[in-house]
Amino acid sequence: MTPQVEIMLIAVIVSAACALLGVFLILRKMAMMTDAISHTILLGIVIGFFITESLTSPLLIIGAALIGLLTVYLAELLKRTKLMSEDSSIGLVFPFLFSIAIILITRYAGNIHLDVDSVLLGELAFVPFDRLILFGRDVGPKSLYVMGIILTIDLAFILLFYKELKLATFDAALAAVIGFSPVLMHYALMGLVSVTAVGAFEAVGSILVIAFMIGPPITAYMLTDKLKTMLVLSVVIGTFNALLGYQVAVIYDVSIAGSIATVIGITYLIVFITAPKRGIITMVYKRHMQRIDYAMHSLLVHLYNHEGTEEEEVEANRHVIDQHLHWQKSFLDKIMKKALRLQCIVVEQEFLKLTSKGREYAIRSFEDI
């Protein structure tokens, strides 16, 4: 396996592991918590290093996971006081724990490979150099196996507790009544987020971890309302972003992590504009059609109110009705064309008359008002 293939494979595995958990974070409206956890777990890594004096010890992952859970607990503890909102509590806990880690690194670990730049930005290009040697044989990059195991754990957790996760995500109160523990599910999910983030730390850095956990899931959310489809789409989009971002980085000789994060942003922007149900173009078109529909019903109600009255000759005259409704002439013509096409009105000489269908529309609209 060439180093290029190894890099792409690791990027795909990291994206899949992050995207699967990111779906539940997005649905729980906890995107900001990802940012907090991905930074504060640095404190767990630092404390684990001080205890073991090794950057390869599994205790670093355990320490990072515990600090991740501590981040969630402290943020929710502050939120429960009702003295601050959720984002304010995260904004307070996140820099506090992260700053402690930075101080410890600069004060006591300045001579080891634990600098802030490598933690935040990572570097996929260096991943093939950190090899796993078993029985004297090179079996591949260490990150490939670490993230492969973490992806397997994440996938197994979602498959085994899919119903519990789904229920706890959409209706925590009902989950508690049925007998599930939404709190246990919540902290189990946050624990996996912490483990996944620390596993991906060395390979891709925390910035790309955040991008993978938020970008593909929120892009998939623009395309579907079904949880299973959203999970699959998130992995597919994450894989596409990882592979395309790597190719762009190779072509333009730029940072791989930065290139992938940029592709993630561009992909979301494209979907945000063009998504069939929730895209900007669709929303603008729907609002335009709603405006046309509302205007047509207003015209029908206007004609119905003056039908058979002395003012009908003035209020229903096609040449002056735009002045009574305070519309532009071109807009009135557009509304009239639609009403004529739907056979709601007819034009008799210079006057607009309701058909039976138009009268039914007007009465129904009037009752709705």
Side-chain angles (χ1 to χ4, degrees), residues 16 108 153 156 192 198 230 258 262 266 323 338:
Y108 302 107
I153 294 172
L192 283 179
V198 72
M230 187 176 171
T262 303
I266 293 173
Q323 299 171 18
K338 179 168 183 177

Side-chain angles (χ1 to χ4, degrees), residues 11 20 61 64 85 113 134 192 201 205 218 224 227 233 248 257 275 318 320 327 330 335-336 361:
L20 286 172
I61 295 179
S85 61
H113 181 61
L134 288 178
L192 283 179
F201 240 45
I218 203 168
T224 182
L227 180 56
L233 271 179
V248 171
R318 61 180 301 183
V320 296
W327 289 350
S330 57
I335 302 304
M336 282 177 53
Y361 268 116

Side-chain angles (χ1 to χ4, degrees), residues 296 318 335-347 352:
M296 190 191 78
R318 61 180 301 183
I335 302 304
M336 282 177 53
K337 283 181 182 176
K338 179 168 183 177
L340 287 167
R341 189 172 67 251
L342 294 177
Q343 298 180 339
C344 292
I345 61 171
V346 292
V347 179
L352 304 182

Side-chain angles (χ1 to χ4, degrees), residues 1 13 35 41 70 107 153 162 171 198 208 215 279 356-357:
M1 191 182 300
I13 292 175
D35 189 17
I41 57 176
L70 178 65
R107 182 69 179 84
I153 294 172
Y162 178 77
D171 196 338
V198 72
L208 198 49
S356 57
K357 183 180 178 183

Side-chain angles (χ1 to χ4, degrees), residues 246-260:
Y246 174 76
Q247 294 301 328
V248 171
V250 171
I251 293 171
Y252 293 100
D253 191 21
V254 295
S255 164
I256 299 174
S259 176
I260 293 175

